[in-house]
Amino acid sequence: RRIPKTPSRILDAPDLVDDYYLNLVSWGSNNTLAVALGQSVYLWEAASGNIRHLLMLKNDDDFVTSVSWATSQGNKNYIAVGTNHNEVQLWDAVAEKRLRSLDGHSARVGALSWNQHWLSSGGRDSQIIQHDVRSRNHIVSTYVGHTQEVCGLKWNDEGSTLASGGNENLLCLWDAAMSHRGNSHGYHRSNSNGNGDTITDPSNIGPRLQLTQHKAAVKALAWCPFHRGLLASGGGTADRTIKFWNTNSGAVLNSIDTGSQVCSLLWSKHQREICSSHGFSENQLILWKYPSMTKIQEFKGHTARVLHMDQSPDGGSVVSAAADETLRFWDVFGSPPNERKGNNLSMGNFCGSPMIR
């Protein structure tokens, strides 16, 4: 297939916060792209090109630190929004109203991942909190294993395993079965009460595996859609590698030095390929063949590190968001095999000036 080297569209994204540890882009199954710009969240409807301003945080020193669309069909218009003020807000994007706020963190919330009605949030307080968004008492359990900011968080498609990455270079794996309410299994963390007694808090859970091979912060995480239990992870500036893991055993299957900071990773939904985005010095996207990890193509144009990527629901288009305050859309993976005859990836005309807000 022919892969265009230039973006199909560029949108301005003023005030996109240049912070490696945040997660500011989410492309939902409703084909709407959410982008956090400073204190606001904007929604770009890919089919029509319409742009809506969903929310603006009230406090001047607050800003959006993460966004994530719910993944289950019944909740596909719900979006979770993490803030610098330690909060997770749940919004209905159609009604444009806030449904509830989820507390529990003591620092900003830079990572979010959904698993049906469960929402996991990762904070600078090093904690990962499991919320049941249907329940008034929403905190189901707390995953304790990181010692610094949690910047990567991804449930696998089956909803059985959560991968998390932290600023202390750890990659942790957690099992959903460990955290159901009233569950006495799992790897519970114990605390001493000072009298030499050990108190086990059943809601505090340690990781099944704690993997230490990365040499910098682990933000980029992607579960392979065609090989169950295969996880890709990417390391920051001092590491520069993409590593592939057997998450059952914790074994490293391969490690590739990419030459620069790895900011995000996306698997193709219909080919054995993976796309990475990078920082200094090339600020590029790279499409790789898996498992040989030969480079298929590089995508250049961003002038600062490419902090975030996500893909359209059909898996054809990739959006990248960079510290140069632009969003770029690339036809990286191509349309699904059954749609190759006609190109169904036209994204609608973008009305007015190409700015996300």
Side-chain angles (χ1 to χ4, degrees):
R1 70 186 195 276
R2 194 186 69 81
I3 306 170
K5 287 193 167 163
T6 54
S8 58
R9 167 178 279 117
I10 301 175
L11 301 182
D12 285 313
D15 300 330
L16 184 90
V17 178
D18 179 8
D19 188 324
Y20 181 77
Y21 300 101
L22 308 184
N23 289 277
L24 304 179
V25 163
S26 180
W27 200 332
S29 63
N30 55 6
N31 204 18
T32 300
L33 176 68
V35 183
L37 301 177
Q39 293 173 264
S40 295
V41 173
Y42 291 87
L43 305 178
W44 181 72
E45 294 166 357
S48 65
N50 286 343
I51 290 174
R52 293 189 291 137
H53 182 204
L54 177 65
L55 68 95
M56 183 169 178
L57 299 176
K58 292 185 176 67
N59 295 327
D60 285 347
D61 59 342
D62 202 3
F63 57 93
V64 179
T65 49
S66 50
V67 290
S68 182
W69 286 105
T71 48
S72 61
Q73 273 310 104
N75 297 339
K76 68 179 183 185
N77 292 311
Y78 292 173
I79 187 168
V81 178
T83 75
N84 191 49
H85 282 186
N86 322 345
E87 194 178 34
V88 178
Q89 300 182 3
L90 192 58
W91 284 73
D92 180 329
V94 174
E96 296 188 5
K97 75 176 216 266
R98 189 169 76 176
L99 301 173
R100 65 181 303 184
S101 291
L102 306 171
D103 57 6
H105 284 285
S106 57
R108 71 181 193 181
V109 183
L112 298 165
S113 185
W114 285 89
N115 184 3
Q116 295 180 320
H117 56 270
W118 295 48
L119 174 65
S120 303
S121 59
R124 191 178 244 176
D125 56 10
S126 80
Q127 309 231 337
I128 299 166
I129 298 177
Q130 306 300 341
H131 310 267
D132 182 339
V133 300
R134 306 167 306 177
S135 175
R136 205 176 66 129
N137 302 323
H138 55 89
I139 298 179
V140 177
S141 54
T142 304
Y143 286 5
V144 181
H146 289 283
T147 58
Q148 293 184 37
E149 181 159 22
V150 178
C151 49
L153 210 53
K154 283 278 174 2
W155 280 100
N156 64 350
D157 284 343
E158 296 88 32
S160 58
T161 308
L162 177 70
S164 64
N167 188 42
E168 74 296 275
N169 315 346
L170 288 178
L171 170 58
C172 295
L173 294 166
W174 321 76
D175 291 333
M178 290 158 33
S179 60
H180 292 305
R181 284 189 201 272
N183 178 12
S184 58
H185 308 299
Y187 306 78
H188 297 307
R189 283 300 165 108
S190 301
N191 300 304
S192 170
N193 66 359
N195 301 329
D197 303 327
T198 299
I199 302 165
T200 299
D201 178 350
S203 64
N204 270 16
I205 291 165
R208 172 170 63 85
L209 286 172
Q210 204 169 43
L211 305 169
T212 59
Q213 284 91 327
H214 277 295
K215 296 183 174 69
V218 181
K219 179 197 182 185
L221 296 169
W223 289 94
C224 179
F226 56 81
H227 196 304
R228 191 173 180 158
L230 173 61
L231 175 73
S233 64
T237 308
D239 180 89
R240 306 184 306 272
T241 67
I242 300 170
K243 296 188 193 298
F244 296 92
W245 306 85
N246 175 331
T247 57
N248 299 317
S249 66
V252 180
L253 304 173
N254 197 5
S255 180
I256 299 292
D257 187 342
T258 67
S260 60
Q261 176 184 56
V262 183
C263 301
S264 60
L265 289 166
L266 287 177
W267 288 94
S268 169
K269 292 181 179 183
H270 38 258
Q271 266 107 216
R272 296 189 172 231
E273 296 170 3
I274 188 167
C275 185
S276 56
S277 81
H278 298 272
F280 182 82
S281 64
E282 297 288 333
N283 308 309
Q284 83 278 45
L285 283 63
I286 304 175
L287 180 62
W288 311 81
K289 192 90 195 125
Y290 185 84
S292 67
M293 291 307 283
T294 51
K295 282 185 194 179
I296 300 171
Q297 192 158 304
E298 300 200 23
F299 303 86
K300 295 182 178 175
H302 280 297
T303 57
R305 57 187 179 166
V306 187
L307 293 162
H308 317 288
M309 286 193 300
D310 205 350
Q311 61 185 314
S312 56
D314 69 2
S317 293
V318 169
V319 64
S320 56
D324 60 12
E325 300 189 345
T326 69
L327 298 173
R328 290 168 196 252
F329 294 83
W330 316 81
D331 295 331
V332 172
F333 296 130
S335 51
N338 59 348
E339 292 176 10
R340 290 275 154 80
K341 293 183 183 71
N343 183 2
N344 294 353
L345 270 184
S346 68
M347 294 222 253
N349 291 323
F350 187 78
C351 310
S353 71
M355 190 176 277
I356 194 88
R357 61 160 216 212

